[in-house]
Amino acid sequence: AQSVAQPEDQVNVAEGNPLTVKCTYSVSGNPYLFWYVQYPNRGLQFLLKYITGDNLVKGSYGFEAEFNKSQTSFHLKKPSALVSDSALYFCAVPRRSNYQLIWGAGTKLIIKP
Amino acid sequence: EAQVTQNPRYLITVTGKKLTVTCSQNMNHEYMSWYRQDPGLGLRQIYYSMNVEVTDKGDVPEGYKVSRKEKRNFPLILESPSPNQTSLYFCASRATGSGTNEKLFFGSGTQLSVL
């Protein structure tokens, strides 16, 4: 069955340190992959997507994600974390049967000053 | 400003009392969708619509209804709400030009409590 997993419920990082939020997927073929962010009391916002081509995708707010086909992963990264990056992050991939997005459970990112 | 507008923002109701959550978008998007968000479960799709008068069930459609009479509006109807429908609900829309690689635009959410 197609699925997407975010293995960490929460990630804690000190401000200024690099951050990684993990996502792995189980989808046949060449997937599209997305990251969205949800700030407190807000709707989700698009961060970035992988369609094809360069495995390193750059997105909003200085975030980037690396597509790794052999490890079926699409980890979200940022070189230097800001307190304002604290939010809930979701990874998503379209289901091949009806092209609707399958969502990970979300990872809460906490950046401490 | 391009946006998806949901109302109400917060709603407390009682079991069995019909309610409607409205959703409207001003981007002329063909595709609209409803999700519920529950802790530890991520987003689960309730219903979606590829265009006017075209709706399809998502992963958790039981207990919900939708309609798409106009392109901009996609209301979510709970005919007889139950406590297990207490959740945070999001409406989203996107263009269909490039298919599923188009990004979704989300409303601010509706926190529903069914007592």
Side-chain angles (χ1 to χ4, degrees):
Chain A
Q2 297 167 321
S3 63
V4 60
Q6 294 180 242
E8 300 155 319
D9 292 336
Q10 183 169 309
V11 172
N12 298 297
V13 178
E15 186 176 27
N17 283 0
L19 69 88
T20 298
V21 182
K22 295 179 180 177
C23 172
T24 59
Y25 64 91
S26 175
V27 175
S28 58
N30 297 316
Y32 300 154
L33 293 154
F34 296 82
W35 277 102
Y36 284 79
V37 59
Q38 183 181 20
Y39 296 104
N41 300 312
R42 302 282 298 276
L44 282 74
Q45 298 176 34
F46 171 80
L47 265 183
L48 51 80
K49 65 181 177 183
Y50 172 81
I51 304 298
T52 187
D54 194 346
N55 289 342
L56 187 64
V57 179
K58 294 190 184 299
S60 306
Y61 311 122
F63 283 91
E64 58 190 24
E66 186 172 11
F67 173 66
N68 188 318
K69 189 170 185 178
S70 63
Q71 296 185 5
T72 61
S73 68
F74 189 54
H75 300 334
L76 182 70
K77 301 181 180 186
K78 188 173 182 180
S80 179
L82 300 172
V83 172
S84 57
D85 293 329
S86 298
L88 191 54
Y89 291 80
F90 290 95
C91 181
V93 60
R95 184 185 288 118
R96 293 188 75 80
S97 59
N98 65 0
Y99 307 106
Q100 302 305 300
L101 289 177
I102 307 169
W103 297 83
T107 298
K108 186 176 184 179
L109 177 64
I110 298 176
I111 309 300
K112 297 186 178 179
Chain B
E1 180 189 354
Q3 60 185 2
V4 178
T5 303
Q6 285 179 237
N7 281 297
R9 185 76 176 85
Y10 300 95
L11 180 57
I12 301 174
T13 190
V14 295
T15 300
K17 187 176 182 181
K18 181 179 179 179
L19 65 92
T20 299
V21 184
T22 63
C23 175
S24 179
Q25 50 93 5
N26 64 0
M27 294 167 279
N28 202 36
H29 286 165
E30 295 85 3
Y31 176 94
M32 297 185 75
S33 181
W34 276 103
Y35 296 92
R36 60 178 289 173
Q37 181 182 4
D38 301 288
L41 296 178
L43 273 72
R44 293 182 292 169
Q45 189 177 46
I46 303 170
Y47 271 94
Y48 64 99
S49 170
M50 297 298 290
N51 214 325
V52 176
E53 303 291 1
V54 180
T55 62
D56 280 293
K57 295 178 180 179
D59 297 316
V60 288
E62 295 78 19
Y64 304 95
K65 285 177 58 177
V66 293
S67 68
R68 187 89 184 275
K69 293 183 171 56
E70 307 165 283
K71 199 172 189 179
R72 63 182 293 124
N73 295 323
F74 191 43
L76 179 70
I77 303 157
L78 285 72
E79 296 254 346
S80 183
S82 62
N84 64 12
Q85 293 179 297
T86 292
S87 186
L88 179 59
Y89 291 85
F90 287 103
C91 179
S93 72
R94 62 168 169 80
T96 55
S98 300
T100 52
N101 67 13
E102 293 284 348
K103 66 181 182 182
L104 285 166
F105 292 81
F106 282 82
S108 296
T110 296
Q111 181 64 59
L112 172 64
S113 295
V114 183
L115 305 177

